[in-house]
Amino acid sequence: MQPKLISLGLDTSTSHCEISIVSGADTLIEINENIGKKHAETLMILTQRALDTAQLDWTDLNVIGVGVGPGNFTGIRISVAAVRGLSFALNIPAFGIKRYEAICYQQKEDLLCSINAPNGNFYIVRYSNGAFGSCSLTNLDTLAVPNCENIIGDHSEKISKKLNLKEEKQIYWPATSIAKIAQGMPIERSPPKPFYLSTGIYGASDDFNSKY
């Protein structure tokens, strides 16, 4: 019997610091704290707390996943840099997971996923048959009626009411989805990089059409 992989998932793409530790299919610990702009001061403290609560050491980890955006630029850079350092120090792989990949993890329906953006805007991406379309910036006034019946993610309640869509709920917290997705990522996707939507470039060239 193969031992269960122990994975750490981190997401600081919002004002929250999310941390999850997963062993195989089992979630050992989840932490979600609104820390404002104190990602640099708080990330490693909360990660150590998660390890202590799960009665684990850093050397027990087999893989790390980190949220790479879109989202809070500074928060993402802090967590990605920390995870790259941990990957090197612990000699384990680390992978970047986009926020919409985490939110849509294990969803069965075709849907739109919305992600917070500055100035009342949001990023929108279509999820269909396990694959993602391109990610674009929009708002409630300019969002066209989609050929889709379901919505998930940030602003999903507002969008569902405006466009008469069904609001779907996330199966896991993003950090837990990130930890679970990281367990099955190919090694060539390590180490993680921030996702810069302005260039539309991140990692492999087929990233926007990635499947789990």
Side-chain angles (χ1 to χ4, degrees):
M1 182 176 178
Q2 292 290 330
K4 294 181 179 179
L5 287 177
I6 298 178
S7 55
L8 170 67
L10 306 175
D11 186 27
T12 57
S13 62
T14 70
S15 62
H16 288 245
C17 182
E18 286 192 29
I19 298 165
S20 180
I21 300 176
V22 171
S23 175
D26 301 321
T27 302
L28 304 182
I29 178 70
E30 292 176 314
I31 293 177
N32 183 353
E33 291 195 8
N34 189 338
I35 58 171
K37 297 181 179 180
K38 297 183 178 180
H39 298 93
E41 303 96 313
T42 310
L43 176 61
M44 299 310 294
I45 294 173
L46 293 183
T47 304
Q48 185 64 64
R49 183 196 300 175
L51 287 166
D52 292 343
T53 302
Q55 298 183 325
L56 295 171
D57 198 352
W58 291 99
T59 54
D60 294 318
L61 298 175
N62 302 116
V63 62
I64 306 174
V66 61
V68 294
N72 182 292
F73 180 76
T74 302
I76 292 166
R77 285 176 61 89
I78 289 168
S79 57
V80 169
V83 165
R84 288 174 70 100
L86 289 170
S87 174
F88 178 79
L90 300 173
N91 194 29
I92 59 175
F95 303 101
I97 313 297
K98 298 185 191 71
R99 183 165 173 79
Y100 53 78
E101 291 175 328
I103 289 174
C104 294
Y105 180 59
Q106 290 192 347
Q107 294 289 334
K108 304 302 182 184
E109 303 291 336
D110 290 355
L111 43 77
L112 292 180
C113 181
S114 59
I115 305 294
N116 277 327
N119 303 318
N121 298 313
F122 50 87
Y123 303 107
I124 199 85
V125 60
R126 175 76 179 268
Y127 177 72
S128 179
N129 296 320
F132 294 94
S134 59
C135 186
S136 59
L137 184 66
T138 186
N139 57 55
L140 279 175
D141 294 328
T142 59
L143 179 63
V145 177
N147 183 23
C148 182
E149 298 179 351
N150 308 293
I151 181 74
I152 196 171
D154 310 321
H155 300 290
S156 59
E157 182 177 359
K158 292 181 181 179
I159 297 171
S160 67
K161 290 179 179 179
K162 181 176 177 63
L163 300 182
N164 195 27
L165 303 177
K166 179 184 177 183
E167 184 182 10
E168 300 288 344
K169 300 299 183 183
Q170 298 176 46
I171 298 174
Y172 301 103
W173 282 0
T176 299
S177 295
I178 287 167
K180 289 176 174 288
I181 295 171
Q183 291 183 352
M185 295 289 282
I187 192 65
E188 60 266 20
R189 292 286 298 274
S190 179
K193 305 172 186 176
F195 173 50
Y196 299 115
L197 187 62
S198 59
T199 61
I201 296 174
Y202 171 85
S205 59
D206 63 347
D207 236 30
F208 277 133
N209 296 309
S210 59
K211 294 189 177 183
Y212 304 127

